[in-house]
Amino acid sequence: MIEPPTSRARHIWYRDWKVFEKYAVTNILPYFAEPLLFILALGYGLGLFVGEIGGVSYAQFLAPGILASSAMFAASYECTYSTYVRMVFQQTFEAVLCTPVSIEDIVLGEVAWGATKSLISGICIFIVIWALGLARLDSALIIIPAVALVGVMFASLSIFFTTIVPSMDAFNYYFTLLLSPMFLVSGVFFPTDQLPMIVNSLAWLLPLTHAVNVMRPASMGHYSTSFIFEVAWMSAFTLVFYIAATALMKKRLLD
């Protein structure tokens, strides 16, 4: 039976933060470099051949999608490989369970840390695209909370997979068969309405699509009540996988 997590989850988050803090500079620099390379190579390079999409330059169209997908990958890498190492090789979770911290606290702390990594990534990338004139400054009021939600969403999904994989090699299936196709067809590089109907319908079911549907118009200063639906969809998706991840983590650690 799943119990409500407690405030002790903050200790799990803090432990991960202290590890990150030791190498903060080398960890943060790629968050600036990678999106800049994508935008320069694709937004301004390929964009010369693509032209405008929806009345904006391809670089401006691409930038919010790169931000959303980078938040997805930041949480996903942290809550797959890193969480698996803590769970299996370092046996950190077993040691933690000797204290008053519960499994529910562990999952919440790990999800919170994955969301924090997404938030750090998202802030860095937003600074880059804002400095390049590809996003409005006031759009941060929508985009940054959306990045945090994307972090929680993919952290929950990633921990769900982490609890069921037999080995680290199995994460190749998660990234290759789920995240990579999602990266390609969720509207990051081109509008989903240009896809065949069946592919467009499948794209709608992917969580990254809803994140892009919020961040792209917001970056251009277009705010809509449709954001409420997108956020509600992502919140429901997050809740389902968070509960499933907690239940499976209890099974894995206690069996």
Side-chain angles (χ1 to χ4, degrees), residues 13 71 74-76 78-79 109-119 151-152 155:
W13 179 92
S76 298
E78 183 62 34
C79 292
E110 288 289 302
V111 167
W113 175 242
T116 301
K117 290 290 291 287
S118 287
L119 198 55
V152 174

Side-chain angles (χ1 to χ4, degrees), residues 142-161:
I142 298 293
I143 288 177
I144 299 305
V147 166
L149 178 56
V150 170
V152 174
M153 178 168 61
F154 281 99
S156 300
L157 178 63
S158 298
I159 291 178
F160 170 81
F161 276 92

Side-chain angles (χ1 to χ4, degrees), residues 86 108 197 216:
R86 290 189 284 270
L108 179 58
M197 183 176 297
R216 177 166 289 131

Side-chain angles (χ1 to χ4, degrees), residues 209-255:
T209 300
H210 298 276
V212 174
N213 287 346
V214 171
M215 295 187 197
R216 177 166 289 131
S219 70
M220 302 172 190
H222 302 152
Y223 309 115
S224 169
T225 54
S226 66
F227 290 177
I228 298 173
F229 167 78
E230 308 290 357
V231 169
W233 194 100
M234 290 190 286
S235 299
F237 183 94
T238 301
L239 183 61
V240 168
F241 279 96
Y242 176 80
I243 293 172
T246 304
L248 290 170
M249 183 68 79
K250 287 179 75 78
K251 186 176 185 301
R252 178 148 191 168
L253 293 180
L254 297 179
D255 284 353

Side-chain angles (χ1 to χ4, degrees), residues 2-255:
I2 299 176
E3 301 292 336
T6 71
S7 61
R8 297 187 186 97
R10 72 184 187 278
H11 298 299
I12 303 298
W13 179 92
Y14 185 69
R15 181 262 179 201
D16 294 339
W17 167 258
K18 294 303 290 185
V19 173
F20 173 82
E21 194 177 33
K22 292 180 181 179
Y23 308 100
V25 175
T26 54
N27 282 328
I28 288 176
L29 284 178
Y31 293 149
F32 287 98
E34 185 177 4
L36 185 60
L37 290 174
F38 263 109
I39 292 168
L40 292 178
L42 297 178
Y44 292 109
L46 183 62
L48 294 175
F49 302 95
V50 174
E52 292 189 347
I53 296 181
V56 299
S57 69
Y58 186 62
Q60 190 174 0
F61 176 88
L62 177 67
I66 294 299
L67 194 159
S69 60
S70 295
M72 172 185 75
F73 282 117
S76 298
Y77 279 114
E78 183 62 34
C79 292
T80 50
Y81 292 105
S82 297
T83 296
Y84 189 87
V85 167
R86 290 189 284 270
M87 180 176 67
V88 176
F89 296 113
Q90 297 177 343
Q91 296 187 327
T92 301
F93 296 167
E94 289 187 13
V96 166
L97 289 175
C98 295
T99 72
V101 174
S102 67
I103 293 176
E104 289 84 357
D105 296 332
I106 290 174
V107 174
L108 179 58
E110 288 289 302
V111 167
W113 175 242
T116 301
K117 290 290 291 287
S118 287
L119 198 55
I120 295 170
S121 170
I123 291 172
C124 292
I125 297 171
F126 182 81
I127 291 171
V128 170
I129 65 176
W130 171 73
L132 292 173
L134 302 177
R136 293 165 53 100
L137 184 59
D138 60 280
S139 66
L141 296 175
I142 298 293
I143 288 177
I144 299 305
V147 166
L149 178 56
V150 170
V152 174
M153 178 168 61
F154 281 99
S156 300
L157 178 63
S158 298
I159 291 178
F160 170 81
F161 276 92
T162 299
T163 60
I164 63 176
V165 295
S167 69
M168 288 184 70
D169 292 336
F171 286 130
N172 292 329
Y173 296 101
Y174 177 57
F175 284 94
T176 303
L177 300 180
L178 180 60
L179 296 194
S180 293
M182 195 182 308
F183 180 50
L184 295 174
V185 303
S186 292
V188 174
F189 298 102
F190 44 79
T192 56
D193 57 13
Q194 300 300 310
L195 296 169
M197 183 176 297
I198 187 169
V199 180
N200 187 22
S201 298
L202 290 173
W204 184 88
L205 295 174
L206 301 175
L208 183 60
T209 300
H210 298 276
V212 174
N213 287 346
V214 171
M215 295 187 197
R216 177 166 289 131
S219 70
M220 302 172 190
H222 302 152
Y223 309 115
S224 169
T225 54
S226 66
F227 290 177
I228 298 173
F229 167 78
E230 308 290 357
V231 169
W233 194 100
M234 290 190 286
S235 299
F237 183 94
T238 301
L239 183 61
V240 168
F241 279 96
Y242 176 80
I243 293 172
T246 304
L248 290 170
M249 183 68 79
K250 287 179 75 78
K251 186 176 185 301
R252 178 148 191 168
L253 293 180
L254 297 179
D255 284 353

